[in-house]
């Protein structure tokens, strides 16, 4: 399993960030203030936009130690030599993703309920998947095809059942982080809690502090 | 340049074919009746659907000598070891595509006017691109974001200017093939002239015959 610090996982939304320049600026500020992973996710974009954005984000993240994870498109990840790929249940099968990117890249998989989590074969945990995304844990407006919200008790059960690191996702905002960390999440993924915030630095620091306090 | 017989190039439309089973059946019949290239193009699909369809099409085409070309998604082409990839002007840059697929795969590029054709560097013709798609040559209903129709005189000029094989595309139907071949196209790409036709075998044969007669 490739180690990844899931603590504060930023999923960039191009619209909320105000396009490519906004994504770059948001990333720079967020990484300087505690974000540990950056994911590019732009399902409405053509591949050339993905490529241009991924190249720009790689440059911003160079030397930071923060990995760039590409949502869905393994070809973009390969083209820019991104550190990771994140796929959902309707994307390429994880075993294919791992075969394409090789052993050293981070591979994440979304799971939306206990059944999807249970369906992940142990063989993938041992060689295919480095972490799972679990959500939505709250109602979300930034993912059009989101699954039903996972109830707190069900989320807690998934955290007990999981056999690899997990990041919670979906509608996570300041003040809603601590219960997830206490239930066993290794980190939280946010979109609108950072993208489009009037003060990205302060928003990121506040989220980071909530994670740290919940772990104490 | 990897050689490719562009004569009768089928671009599969999942809706017109009636889903995956229809695409497989259409492909089997079309290849038996003269189609020389099969492209999978499903911009509305998620990657898992692409993958499943590409696996099925590879199986149908096995041993036929007809290459499977994947539109846009290099990761799908790599995952199923397809014979080629076709990209448009808004997709991954051709040089990146070639780097990802290696020297032995077919790479095609769409060009919609003389300026786009002229913008293709000779270096790409020598090492990146195996053929260009040129169109739309007629009004088309199967591509939502199609460019303006290329006038016949402009198409003829592009056929004189081209430095690699070219397949014409866009609204091509029976009776509209011959002028394109006579203007210098190495083949014609069709969608609705085969996909969804009541008699796919007869439709394919008739197109094949029009190509053959135009070349005589």
């Amino acid at each position: 399993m490739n180690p990844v610090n899931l603590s504060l996982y930023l999923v960039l939304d191009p619209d909320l960030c105000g396009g490519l320049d906004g994504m770059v600026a948001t990333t720079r500020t967020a990484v300087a203030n505690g974000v540990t992973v950056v994911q590019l996710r732009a399902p409405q974009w053509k591949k050339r936009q993905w490529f241009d954005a991924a190249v720009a984000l790689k440059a911003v993240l160079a030397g930071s130690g923060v990995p760039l994870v590409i949502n869905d498109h393994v070809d973009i990840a390969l083209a820019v030599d991104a550190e990771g790929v994140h796929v959902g249940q309707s994307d390429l099968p994880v075993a294919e993703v791992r075969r394409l990117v090789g052993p050293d890249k981070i591979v994440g998989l979304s799971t939306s309920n206990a059944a999807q989590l249970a369906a992940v074969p142990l063989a993938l945990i041992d060689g295919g998947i480095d972490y799972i995304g679990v959500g939505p844990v709250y109602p979300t407006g930034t993912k059009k095809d989101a699954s039903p919200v996972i109830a707190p008790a069900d989320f807690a059960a998934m955290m007990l059942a999981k056999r690899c690191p997990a990041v919670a996702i979906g509608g996570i905002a300041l003040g809603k982080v601590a219960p997830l960390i206490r239930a066993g999440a290794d980190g939280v993924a946010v979109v609108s809690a950072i993208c489009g915030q009037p003060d990205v630095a302060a928003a990121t620091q506040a989220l980071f502090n909530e994670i740290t306090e919940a772990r104490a």
Side-chain angles (χ1 to χ4, degrees), chain A residues 95-176:
Chain A
E96 292 296 327
V97 174
R98 174 58 72 197
R99 200 170 59 81
L100 292 174
V101 301
D104 301 330
K105 299 296 187 183
I106 300 162
V107 174
L109 173 70
S110 297
T111 56
S112 297
N113 52 56
Q116 286 180 2
L117 179 62
V120 178
L122 200 56
L124 277 185
I125 305 286
D126 282 341
I129 298 175
D130 298 307
Y131 75 91
I132 50 169
V134 179
V137 290
Y138 299 112
T140 171
T142 57
K143 191 165 195 292
K144 302 276 178 281
D145 56 347
S147 301
V149 171
I150 303 172
D154 294 335
F155 180 78
M158 289 175 76
M159 292 304 99
L160 286 175
K162 74 184 173 69
R163 295 162 299 179
C164 66
V167 61
I169 189 166
I172 298 174
L174 192 63
K176 294 174 144 182

